[in-house]
């Protein structure tokens, strides 16, 4: 007998064997039980998630000789549907039958009653490939077919279908299958095939399948052909150009230690082995996410794709801020993979960027302590002291740069933040120029510090200003200006009131380390600004850095 691929051999033969898609399975079973059979169904979702398999199961349940809702897999109807030879279950590949003539031929046959079963079932796969003319020819029949006729349309791209088609169907959205469900399926197949597979190799196969049961079985089929009866993690790594968990851990440790030579050696190893760098970036993101989750919860059950043993090797070496920064940076890299023509160069640059971050950490740029607010002397009291010729005691310098800020020690004559008054105004053209000379890395660091404003909320002098700043987030930073972004217009207007500037600048100075001019945009203004920036960028009319003078807006 000819060899049969695993994804065909282990296709679900009844609803109990269906992997995932529980809500869809339950809904269809209930409709069969209540005999509420619709005339048209649309199954949409990613490839390999069971759309065609469910369509065949539904056709079996409609035509099984034991009654509607039953799948015996023994009667002639069930067996012939499994073999694809049932005269009343017609599968059509819309990719090769997309024209109006094929649809007219189909419509002509719809009027004939079933030959063998109770229902005539048309399963149209890749239905989005049909032409508009073909869709229009199908409309009337799809809306009012004979009582014995059921249409099941399957597609990975439902947005390509005409709204008139969508409105005539019951729609079922198939989701990607979870890694745990895929591993259960693979374990059952491995047991039946007499093949052993390590847990780490199983995890890799599940990750490679990206939520598709068919893909997972195809990958397993290839792995068995390569490895024989024993599949190890190293085999999957070699076969599909992956990296081991140990290599990923070594890379992260080298980044933490700022070991540039080791990082670049690992990079060269990956290139020589033709490792998929986009996939590696994704795997590093999942690993770092699991480390962050474990750091905060210590619950191994919450780990999505990593072993507790691997996570523990990394967990103690990184602060939460470091993990968040690395995740943020790798997300940028992952996004840029979509547009770059040189992924190897891009990945190497981002590795060097992560190495620089280690240097920045050692220079204490990232916060590990509370805000230290510079003491503000009461101007009126100074005047009194000078009049009385009293000596003002010198300020005592903190013993270390890490001294914590004590809320009760702040003095000053700031009243509550003003809610009305004259406002600063900057045109979008002025702000547009600042984008060219912006400091993205420094803005990112400031964003990480922004939550420290919480420690000022109870302060009688600065609390109302901190609360106002907390309604915004850093949007654009240059040497002399900080542009904030607010979701609403009201807080942006309050931030721009001139009377509030002195206190706001005082707080931001202690986060940033220098005086900057502060201006706030609302979401609507930022959208307009971004559109204008992109339009100028497309026609290459953005100002050059050398043409922009980075001076304070006010």
């Amino acid at each position: 007998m000819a060899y049969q691929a695993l994804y065909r051999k282990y296709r679900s033969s009844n609803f109990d064997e269906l992997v995932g898609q529980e809500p869809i399975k339950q809904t269809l079973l209930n409709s069969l039980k209540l005999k509420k059979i619709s005339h048209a169904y649309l199954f949409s979702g990613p490839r390999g998630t069971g759309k065609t398999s469910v369509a065949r199961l539904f056709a079996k349940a409609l035509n099984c000789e034991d009654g509607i809702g039953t799948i015996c897999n023994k009667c002639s109807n069930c067996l012939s549907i499994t073999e694809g030879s049932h005269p009343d279950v017609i599968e059509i590949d819309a990719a090769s039958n997309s024209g109006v003539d094929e649809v007219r031929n189909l419509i002509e046959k719809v009027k004939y009653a079933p030959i063998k079963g109770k229902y005539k079932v048309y399963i149209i796969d890749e239905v989005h490939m049909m032409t508009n003319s073909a869709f229009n020819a199908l409309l009337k029949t799809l809306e009012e077919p004979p009582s014995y006729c059921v249409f099941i349309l399957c597609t990975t791209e439902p947005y390509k279908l005409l709204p008139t088609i969508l409105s005539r169907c019951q729609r079922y959205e198939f989701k990607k299958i979870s890694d745990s469900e895929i591993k259960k399926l693979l374990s059952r197949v491995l047991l039946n095939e007499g093949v052993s597979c390590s847990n780490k190799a199983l995890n890799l196969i599940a990750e490679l399948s990206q939520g598709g049961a068919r893909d997972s079985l195809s990958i397993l089929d290839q792995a068995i052909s390569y490895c024989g009866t024993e599949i190890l993690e190293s085999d999957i790594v070699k076969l599909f150009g992956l990296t081991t968990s140990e290599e990923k851990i070594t890379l992260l440790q080298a980044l933490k230690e700022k070991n540039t030579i080791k990082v670049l050696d690992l990079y060269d190893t990956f290139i020589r082995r033709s490792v998929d760098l986009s996939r590696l970036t994704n795997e590093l993101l999942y690993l770092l996410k699991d480390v962050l989750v474990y750091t905060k919860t210590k619950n191994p059950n919450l780990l999505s794709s990593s072993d507790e043993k691997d996570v523990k090797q990394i967990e103690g070496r990184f602060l939460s801020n470091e993990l968040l920064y690395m995740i943020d940076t790798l997300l940028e890299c992952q996004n840029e993979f979509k547009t770059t023509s040189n992924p190897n160069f891009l990945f190497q640059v981002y590795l060097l960027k992560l190495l620089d971050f280690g240097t920045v950490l050692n220079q204490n740029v990232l916060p590990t302590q509370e805000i230290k607010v510079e003491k503000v002397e009461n101007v009126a009291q100074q005047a009194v002291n000078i009049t009385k010729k009293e000596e003002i005691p010198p300020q005592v310098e903190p013993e270390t740069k890490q001294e914590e800020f004590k809320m009760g020690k702040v003095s000053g004559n700031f009243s509550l933040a003003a809610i009305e008054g004259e406002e600063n105004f900057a045109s979008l053209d002025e702000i547009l120029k600042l984008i060219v000379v912006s400091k993205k890395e420094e803005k990112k660091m400031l964003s990480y510090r922004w939550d420290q404003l919480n420690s000022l909320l109870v302060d009688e002098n600065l609390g109302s200003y901190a609360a106002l700043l907390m309604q915004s987030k850093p949007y654009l930073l240059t040497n002399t200006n900080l542009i904030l972004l607010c979701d609403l217009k009201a807080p942006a207007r309050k931030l721009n009131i001139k009377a509030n500037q002195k206190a706001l600048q005082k707080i931001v100075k202690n986060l940033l380390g220098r005086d900057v001019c502060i201006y706030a945009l609302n979401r609507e203004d930022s959208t307009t600004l971004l559109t204008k920036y992109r339009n100028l960028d497309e026609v290459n009319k953005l100002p050059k850095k050398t043409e922009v003078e980075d001076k304070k807006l006010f």
Side-chain angles (χ1 to χ4, degrees), residues 33-34 105 166 178 191 326 346 380 407 465 487:
K33 182 179 179 181
L34 299 171
N105 184 43
L166 295 173
S178 67
L191 184 63
M326 295 179 81
L346 177 69
M407 298 300 308
Y465 297 97
D487 287 326

Side-chain angles (χ1 to χ4, degrees), residues 182-192 195 202 220:
I182 286 176
K183 283 190 278 189
K184 287 179 185 177
L185 169 64
L186 295 177
S187 297
R188 176 164 60 87
V189 172
L190 287 164
L191 184 63
N192 290 340
V195 177
L202 202 62
L220 180 61

Side-chain angles (χ1 to χ4, degrees), residues 125-330:
D125 207 6
E126 302 298 333
V127 69
H128 62 272
M129 300 291 285
M130 288 175 62
T131 64
N132 285 347
S133 300
F135 274 132
N136 289 325
L138 184 63
L139 276 178
K140 189 64 177 176
T141 304
L142 194 63
E143 184 174 26
E144 297 178 359
S147 59
Y148 50 77
C149 192
V150 174
F151 284 91
I152 303 177
L153 314 181
C154 302
T155 178
T156 55
E157 302 178 55
Y159 56 87
K160 290 186 177 180
L161 271 62
L162 296 176
T164 47
I165 293 290
L166 295 173
S167 65
R168 286 164 168 78
C169 301
Q170 276 193 20
R171 184 168 176 178
Y172 293 83
E173 186 68 35
F174 285 65
K175 308 296 182 185
K176 286 188 175 183
I177 302 168
S178 67
D179 285 357
S180 60
E181 291 285 345
I182 286 176
K183 283 190 278 189
K184 287 179 185 177
L185 169 64
L186 295 177
S187 297
R188 176 164 60 87
V189 172
L190 287 164
L191 184 63
N192 290 340
E193 295 294 318
V195 177
S196 66
C197 181
S198 70
N199 190 51
K200 286 189 175 182
L202 202 62
N203 287 338
L204 285 177
I205 294 173
E207 288 174 24
L208 283 168
S209 65
Q210 296 182 335
R214 185 175 63 232
D215 285 1
S216 70
L217 291 172
S218 295
I219 292 167
L220 180 61
D221 214 348
Q222 188 175 350
I224 292 174
S225 298
Y226 177 76
C227 306
T229 58
E230 184 179 7
I231 303 173
L232 302 176
E233 181 190 21
S234 56
D235 298 321
I236 303 298
V237 167
K238 290 177 185 176
L239 187 57
F240 296 100
L242 306 178
T243 53
T244 64
S245 53
E246 287 78 10
E247 286 175 321
K248 289 190 278 283
I249 291 169
T250 302
L251 176 61
L252 292 175
Q253 289 174 345
L255 288 169
K256 171 65 177 177
E257 295 164 1
K258 299 181 295 174
N259 190 335
T260 306
I261 299 298
K262 192 169 186 178
V263 168
L264 293 179
D265 282 346
L266 283 167
Y267 167 79
D268 288 338
T269 301
F270 298 153
I271 297 302
R272 286 197 303 272
R273 283 184 6 216
S274 300
V275 166
D276 185 337
L277 298 179
S278 178
R279 186 182 296 280
L280 172 58
T281 303
N282 194 55
E283 290 170 356
L284 288 170
L285 281 167
Y286 273 101
L287 177 57
L288 289 168
K289 185 267 295 180
D290 280 343
V291 173
L292 187 62
V293 169
Y294 190 80
T295 300
K296 293 181 179 296
T297 66
K298 305 299 181 185
N299 186 350
N301 295 325
L302 296 177
L303 303 179
S304 61
S305 58
S306 309
D307 291 340
E308 185 180 9
K309 180 182 175 183
D310 294 337
V311 169
K312 281 185 174 180
Q313 290 188 58
I314 307 170
E315 182 239 345
R317 294 175 173 265
F318 292 91
L319 300 173
S320 292
N321 278 337
E322 295 176 288
L323 292 170
L324 287 168
Y325 178 86
M326 295 179 81
I327 289 171
D328 199 18
T329 303
L330 288 171

Side-chain angles (χ1 to χ4, degrees), residues 452-464:
Q452 291 189 28
L453 294 171
N454 282 313
S455 62
L456 285 178
L457 293 177
V458 295
D459 184 79
E460 60 182 359
N461 295 299
L462 300 173
S464 61

